[in-house]
Amino acid sequence: MSAADVITVPLDRAAHGRTGDKGNRSNISVIAWHPALWPVLVEQVTEDAVRRQFAHRRPSAVRRYLLPELQAMNFVLDDVLDGGVNDSLNLDSHGKALSFLLLELPITIPAALAGGLLPLDFTNDPETSHA
């Protein structure tokens, strides 16, 4: 595949996320916007990629669970919440805030799948706006 055949986008163009936290553990789910994007997510949004994305938080473990029927995956990151939400003075350590960091992960997709991506300006797109 040539460089003209692929595009690099942040993960949030290809997927959305749901998060939670318990103690010092963050739980982040990634759900493909379109089923055609699922194989790309499985290939590129790996435990190693997530570990690199969160390197500054020093997770002691990163585990990925695939949910192919939902075109979703769930990551469990241990020891990334500064001791836990109730122990930390850092508001950004909550699992919900950390999901945005994961959704910034760059991924490379075939240009032919660009139609499955979220539009760049989702809120101002008259086709998708809920205003």
Side-chain angles (χ1 to χ4, degrees):
M1 208 176 292
S2 74
D5 296 332
V6 297
I7 58 174
T8 300
V9 297
L11 179 57
D12 69 352
R13 297 270 321 277
H16 58 102
R18 298 284 298 165
T19 62
D21 49 65
K22 189 72 170 176
N24 201 19
R25 177 177 287 160
S26 181
N27 178 55
I28 306 173
S29 295
V30 175
I31 305 103
W33 284 118
H34 191 280
L37 296 168
W38 172 243
V40 174
L41 299 182
V42 171
E43 177 185 328
Q44 295 182 43
V45 187
T46 63
E47 290 175 349
D48 287 337
V50 172
R51 187 175 288 107
R52 285 190 304 273
Q53 190 75 353
F54 284 87
H56 69 287
R57 308 287 311 178
R58 294 184 298 279
S60 64
V62 176
R63 290 178 303 283
R64 179 178 80 164
Y65 301 93
L66 298 178
L67 304 159
E69 294 295 320
L70 301 174
Q71 293 87 46
M73 58 185 73
N74 187 53
F75 288 92
V76 177
L77 292 82
D78 289 334
D79 302 314
V80 293
L81 299 177
D82 295 334
V85 172
N86 293 331
D87 291 339
S88 174
L89 298 177
N90 181 359
L91 291 178
D92 289 338
S93 70
H94 287 69
K96 288 171 180 38
L98 292 179
S99 68
F100 292 101
L101 177 61
L102 180 54
L103 292 173
E104 291 175 354
L105 179 76
I107 61 168
T108 303
I109 69 160
L113 296 179
L117 296 173
L118 189 67
L120 275 173
D121 191 1
F122 178 69
T123 57
N124 290 327
D125 183 341
E127 295 295 316
T128 59
S129 178
H130 300 290

